[in-house]
Amino acid sequence: MERFLGFNHNHCFIALLFVTSLSPLGLAQYEHWPYLPGYPEPPPQVYQPPQRPANVPKIQLRLAGQKRKHNEGRVEVFYSGEWGTVCDDDFSIHAAHVVCRELGYVEAVSWLPSSKYGKGEGRIWMDNVHCNGKETTLAACTSNGWGVTDCKHTEDVGVVCSEKRIPGFKFDNSLLNQIENMNIQVEDIRIRAILATYRKRVPVTEGYVEVKDEGTWKQICDKQWTMKNSRVVCGMFGFPSERKYNAKVYKMFASRRKPNYWAYSMDCTGNEAHISSCKLGNHLNVDAEKNATCENGMPAVVSCVPGRAFAPSSHSGFRKAFRQEQPLVRLKGGANTGEGRVEVLKNGEWGTVCDDNWNLVSASVVCRELGFGSAKEAITGARLGQGMGPIHLNEIDCTGFEKSITDCKFNTESQGCNHEEDAAVRCNIPAMGFQNQLRLSGGRNPYEGRVEVLAERNGTLKWGTVCSENWSTVEAMVVCRQLGLGFASNAFQETWYWHGDITADNVVMSGVKCSGTEMSLSHCRHDGADVSCPRGGGRFGAGVSCSETAPDLVLNAELVEQTAYLEDRPMFMLQCAFEENCLASSAVNTSVTSGYRRLLRFSSQIHNNGQSDFRPKNGRHAWVWHDCHRHYHSMEVFTHYDLLNLNGTKIAEGHKASFCLEDTECEADVQKQYECANFGEQGITVGCWDVYRHDIDCQWIDITDIPPGDYLFQVVINPNYEVAESDYSNNVMKCRCRYDGQRIWMYNCHIGGSFSEETEQKFDHFSGLTNNKVSTR
């Protein structure tokens, strides 16, 4: 019976795998892979433009306004010689589909009313628009009539289209001569390396600019090509700037082959984040065979300057690590390289940016400043997690050519802003091909599985497993980032329940140790060719599960400073704490009847500022009952409380290791989900905090044996990285501390990473207080 069931199960699995591999979703991941030299590209898909009914006027559409992605914006219509807008009354997702398809996108994702992309100008051409979604043009939908409306521009409608373009899309150029500001609409764009030196290099930084038009790749005539155009193209491919190239070499190459030119030129101002925001330039002349010609010209070439993290080096192809100068801007809380919450440095302290007026142009300044390309998306509403500390900038207005976001116009007043409006960005980064060197195998979905890497063995590339010895969340984070799957939610040291590729069972990578910031697993320290893995691969291969979101725990430093005090507590009242190892080792010699311990007490308030709930690593079956606290503890090691001397040596430690996690309080619009009582579910909800009051057992450091002096007080949350978080740098809180033998002062408490490196160094070597007052900040 078992054999029979197993047979059926395997056949079900094979059938499912076969079906999914043929599905459009299964094939989608291979669409952008380059074709190897010598392999012909598939024939272009023939796009059949829909036939416009004879009684429907010809119009042209564009997406305008304050964009946060290139494929969204205010809907504008060119009719009767002028551009106008569309009112949001009766507008629907069906109408949005029609707009997006007319612009060459596969479909609409959503639509937005009430001039979300800013108020348009001129006529409001359409009102009370009704579409069934099958119309070939927006002009074919019913409305009140052209220009008949009772709307104002505060009701201008906008749409968000899918990023996927219609294969073989043909640009309708019939109104070109009547329209001055026609936006570029092409199916795709690429930089094709021509010279041998660039064909071998990753990433591709120089080559022909080619656009996909009617399903065919075409070159662009360089007669009207400018460095502004190059800047936009380089930005789209993840490069912060452009440079000059050797034109003579390309002239020689162009003279040997007949180019296939695109029929238009490109006219960019240089601050666009995507060519779809550039204007269409002049129409090229055509020859007798109706092909576009480029008299005395050649195909346009771009040469891009990669950011430092992606720059090729003579030794390894690119730099694996580099020491950056202290930047004025940084990205925090993002899952992938080149994305995160925008934070700026002002007066030595890091703060966030309010999302009022936040758009692609301003976001692109941040991206280029950090060595990436232009912005792919300007993100609002703290979607990549809330920051802490001050909000430094508001209402940012950039031209797009500034060297730094701090050079833009902005408002330093942040009234009306809070951390729920923290701005973030997703930048274009160069295609390094890292995702092709790694795969997850055997999982129930694409976000989990056994980790398999492509490694060279005896001159051939082979897939194999990674040794799971010491495999942790930090290494799993690198894997998920490399595959573009977000954060790691779990790291697995046994994967026998995931049946990976049997030919990839051999271990090809061992001794992996990552810092967590690497872009590829191969950049982490590992054993190289000398693989050593006593347990072997197969069922003991390393595995991961990934998630698009993660929690982010941050301690309230101010509360620690406000609540710290000393207590001399009789030993007979500390028996429970003694049994739980919450006292210093010398407590064993303290008299139970007459002795006491000196305790540094404080409250801790731990916030979850991330995008998903913080849940303990262990399931309920592994929770431990604590008789003293009368509840279950779900995490054996959740915090470290330490007292350090000024050299950084630990001289006392708290043993408040195991915790029960619950929502003590939440923000106004957030519901509590977790509580410790009655064997309840444990965790910390996004927007909630868990409070451990100063007066409960083990919420202290035993300083009975510590002499008077100046010290550093430190709290570390989730110290072993047992649970994945979007940002570990803010898990540390430090305070300066002065103890005179009877009293204690806690001051300058702050979260790790909240100050500049220079300020942090001064903190570590600060001489201390000169009086008994707590310093004002």
Side-chain angles (χ1 to χ4, degrees):
M1 185 65 183
E2 284 178 3
R3 187 179 298 173
F4 179 69
L5 283 170
F7 179 80
N8 273 339
H9 172 73
N10 288 338
H11 272 60
C12 279
F13 176 75
I14 291 164
L16 180 66
L17 184 66
F18 181 68
V19 170
T20 53
S21 66
L22 292 181
S23 71
L25 197 64
L27 292 171
Q29 61 179 313
Y30 300 106
E31 285 185 358
H32 302 294
W33 287 17
Y35 288 90
L36 296 171
Y39 285 85
E41 289 197 25
Q45 289 175 269
V46 180
Y47 170 74
Q48 294 294 338
Q51 292 300 310
R52 182 176 50 84
N55 60 340
V56 173
K58 269 193 178 180
I59 62 167
Q60 190 69 44
L61 300 179
R62 70 180 179 190
L63 301 180
Q66 294 283 310
K67 297 184 181 189
R68 292 186 175 129
K69 283 196 270 189
H70 71 86
N71 46 315
E72 67 177 13
R74 182 176 60 246
V75 179
E76 295 195 347
V77 182
F78 186 84
Y79 172 78
S80 187
E82 62 179 301
W83 287 101
T85 62
V86 177
C87 182
D88 59 17
D89 293 350
D90 292 343
F91 201 83
S92 68
I93 192 66
H94 300 301
H97 282 314
V98 174
V99 168
C100 289
R101 282 199 291 268
E102 195 168 354
L103 287 166
Y105 299 100
V106 169
E107 61 184 356
V109 175
S110 64
W111 63 277
L112 295 101
S114 309
S115 62
K116 287 289 190 300
Y117 297 100
K119 293 189 285 187
E121 296 177 347
R123 301 282 293 273
I124 297 173
W125 277 128
M126 301 179 84
D127 186 10
N128 296 109
V129 177
H130 287 270
C131 305
N132 60 30
K134 295 176 182 173
E135 291 86 356
T136 56
T137 169
L138 191 65
C141 299
T142 61
S143 68
N144 291 351
W146 292 102
V148 180
T149 180
D150 59 355
C151 294
K152 295 178 180 173
H153 279 298
T154 51
E155 298 170 82
D156 286 344
V157 79
V159 298
V160 181
C161 300
S162 70
E163 292 195 17
K164 203 168 171 58
R165 301 284 292 171
I166 296 171
F169 177 74
K170 186 178 189 321
F171 172 66
D172 180 8
N173 62 1
S174 53
L175 293 176
L176 188 61
N177 296 331
Q178 302 170 41
I179 304 176
E180 281 186 20
N181 294 320
M182 178 82 89
N183 283 20
I184 291 172
Q185 295 174 28
V186 291
E187 188 185 328
D188 205 354
I189 183 169
R190 71 180 181 187
I191 300 173
R192 182 161 70 93
I194 299 299
L195 307 182
T197 50
Y198 290 100
R199 283 207 298 269
K200 294 172 187 171
R201 194 175 289 180
V202 176
V204 173
T205 57
E206 185 175 302
Y208 283 171
V209 184
E210 297 188 333
V211 293
K212 204 172 195 180
D213 183 44
E214 297 182 60
T216 306
W217 287 105
K218 297 177 181 178
Q219 291 85 46
I220 301 174
C221 178
D222 72 341
K223 293 294 287 292
Q224 291 172 319
W225 188 262
T226 65
M227 289 302 270
K228 291 176 181 177
N229 295 348
S230 295
R231 188 173 193 264
V232 174
V233 173
C234 288
M236 281 180 65
F237 287 92
F239 304 112
S241 58
E242 72 293 341
R243 62 185 164 205
K244 291 182 178 175
Y245 59 91
N246 186 345
K248 289 181 183 176
V249 181
Y250 285 97
K251 271 185 186 167
M252 285 171 55
F253 188 87
S255 63
R256 295 180 198 152
R257 307 209 174 173
K258 189 183 178 187
N260 180 17
Y261 285 111
W262 186 43
Y264 309 93
S265 59
M266 207 180 279
D267 184 14
C268 303
T269 57
N271 64 352
E272 298 90 346
H274 193 274
I275 59 156
S276 61
S277 299
C278 295
K279 304 301 175 214
L280 202 62
N282 294 341
H283 196 289
L284 265 60
N285 295 328
V286 295
D287 58 21
E289 296 169 10
K290 299 210 171 162
N291 291 326
T293 60
C294 179
E295 291 171 24
N296 303 319
M298 66 174 199
V301 174
V302 293
S303 185
C304 305
V305 181
R308 208 169 154 193
F310 305 97
S313 71
S314 54
H315 301 298
S316 58
F318 50 87
R319 293 184 180 90
K320 293 179 182 177
F322 58 92
R323 180 166 177 79
Q324 219 169 359
E325 298 297 313
Q326 176 76 64
L328 294 174
V329 64
R330 69 184 183 186
L331 302 181
K332 300 294 280 184
N336 300 306
T337 305
E339 70 176 36
R341 179 179 59 254
V342 179
E343 296 189 352
V344 292
L345 189 64
K346 183 182 175 189
N347 299 329
E349 187 174 11
W350 288 100
T352 60
V353 173
C354 188
D355 64 11
D356 294 352
N357 299 347
W358 185 243
N359 60 23
L360 273 179
V361 175
S362 301
S364 292
V365 172
V366 169
C367 290
R368 290 182 190 272
E369 182 179 356
L370 290 170
F372 305 115
S374 51
K376 190 187 294 182
E377 185 178 1
I379 299 168
T380 57
R383 269 175 42 213
L384 295 188
Q386 293 184 26
M388 297 281 280
I391 298 169
H392 282 327
L393 307 180
N394 184 23
E395 296 174 352
I396 293 180
D397 181 19
C398 301
T399 63
F401 296 104
E402 293 87 352
K403 292 287 182 196
S404 171
I405 192 77
T406 54
D407 297 334
C408 300
K409 293 178 187 171
F410 54 82
N411 186 355
T412 51
E413 296 293 318
S414 56
Q415 284 131 344
C417 282
N418 58 47
H419 284 299
E420 291 177 13
E421 299 171 82
D422 283 345
V425 71
R426 195 165 280 130
C427 303
N428 288 312
I429 63 167
M432 304 298 290
F434 293 143
Q435 72 278 8
N436 303 333
Q437 301 163 7
L438 195 70
R439 69 186 183 192
L440 301 184
S441 184
R444 295 161 297 180
N445 59 58
Y447 283 81
E448 67 176 25
R450 184 176 78 175
V451 178
E452 294 177 1
V453 296
L454 194 59
E456 189 176 329
R457 289 290 175 270
N458 301 323
T460 58
L461 289 172
K462 286 186 178 177
W463 288 101
T465 54
V466 177
C467 186
S468 63
E469 200 172 339
N470 299 322
W471 183 257
S472 73
T473 307
V474 178
E475 286 73 43
M477 279 284 196
V478 175
V479 169
C480 294
R481 182 186 301 122
Q482 187 173 346
L483 291 169
L485 297 177
F487 302 100
S489 52
N490 289 101
F492 301 100
Q493 294 192 352
E494 287 188 26
T495 50
W496 51 267
Y497 37 81
W498 286 329
H499 299 290
D501 185 345
I502 197 164
T503 62
D505 273 355
N506 289 339
V507 177
V508 295
M509 198 175 197
S510 65
V512 180
K513 189 71 179 165
C514 303
S515 68
T517 59
E518 295 87 351
M519 287 186 280
S520 168
L521 199 64
S522 61
H523 297 174
C524 301
R525 281 188 304 166
H526 58 91
D527 294 336
D530 302 322
V531 174
S532 170
C533 190
R535 296 206 303 177
R539 58 177 292 208
F540 292 111
V544 301
S545 63
C546 305
S547 170
E548 290 180 359
T549 57
D552 183 21
L553 297 188
V554 185
L555 185 72
N556 184 336
E558 210 170 306
L559 189 69
V560 172
E561 192 169 301
Q562 291 165 355
T563 58
Y565 66 97
L566 295 180
E567 182 193 8
D568 288 343
R569 194 165 182 82
M571 192 65 193
F572 70 84
M573 299 177 71
L574 292 170
Q575 287 311 292
C576 220
F578 182 62
E579 287 170 21
E580 286 194 20
N581 272 334
C582 293
L583 300 174
S585 56
S586 63
V588 72
N589 302 318
T590 304
S591 167
V592 175
T593 52
S594 61
Y596 70 90
R597 304 299 296 178
R598 179 160 289 180
L599 307 175
L600 166 55
R601 284 185 173 275
F602 57 94
S603 295
S604 67
Q605 187 183 85
I606 298 165
H607 293 245
N608 182 358
N609 285 354
Q611 304 153 264
S612 63
D613 296 353
F614 185 95
R615 299 299 307 277
K617 181 182 178 182
N618 294 331
R620 295 163 82 102
H621 65 281
W623 295 358
V624 179
W625 173 258
H626 279 255
D627 217 30
C628 296
H629 298 162
R630 308 301 298 167
H631 59 221
Y632 282 91
H633 282 187
S634 59
M635 286 190 71
E636 205 46 52
V637 179
F638 182 62
T639 54
H640 284 170
Y641 301 154
D642 299 314
L643 200 65
L644 316 172
N645 66 22
L646 297 186
N647 292 330
T649 305
K650 191 184 296 185
I651 56 169
E653 58 184 323
H655 294 273
K656 181 62 197 161
S658 55
F659 262 60
C660 169
L661 304 171
E662 67 176 3
D663 297 329
T664 310
E665 294 291 335
C666 297
E667 291 169 7
D669 55 343
V670 181
Q671 193 77 30
K672 291 183 186 178
Q673 292 187 78
Y674 306 108
E675 64 174 352
C676 297
N678 305 319
F679 199 33
E681 283 292 338
Q682 293 192 22
I684 307 175
T685 307
V686 175
C688 297
W689 51 93
D690 187 3
V691 177
Y692 265 75
R693 283 172 52 92
H694 56 84
D695 53 2
I696 67 168
D697 263 3
C698 300
Q699 186 62 30
W700 62 55
I701 293 181
D702 182 350
I703 64 165
T704 308
D705 309 320
I706 304 301
D710 288 317
Y711 299 100
L712 293 175
F713 172 67
Q714 180 175 280
V715 178
V716 186
I717 308 168
N718 192 14
N720 299 338
Y721 308 137
E722 280 188 26
V723 178
E725 294 186 52
S726 59
D727 185 6
Y728 287 120
S729 68
N730 57 15
N731 285 25
V732 180
M733 189 226 62
K734 286 182 183 178
C735 300
R736 288 302 300 260
C737 165
R738 168 165 280 191
Y739 174 48
D740 68 357
Q742 297 300 321
R743 296 164 295 177
I744 197 154
W745 292 268
M746 203 86 81
Y747 58 100
N748 286 358
C749 293
H750 66 280
I751 298 300
S754 58
F755 292 109
S756 68
E757 287 177 17
E758 190 182 354
T759 307
E760 200 65 61
Q761 283 165 3
K762 283 180 185 172
F763 170 86
D764 286 342
H765 297 95
F766 188 59
S767 58
L769 290 175
T770 54
N771 57 43
N772 289 340
K773 292 178 184 174
V774 176
S775 63
T776 54
R777 297 197 304 162

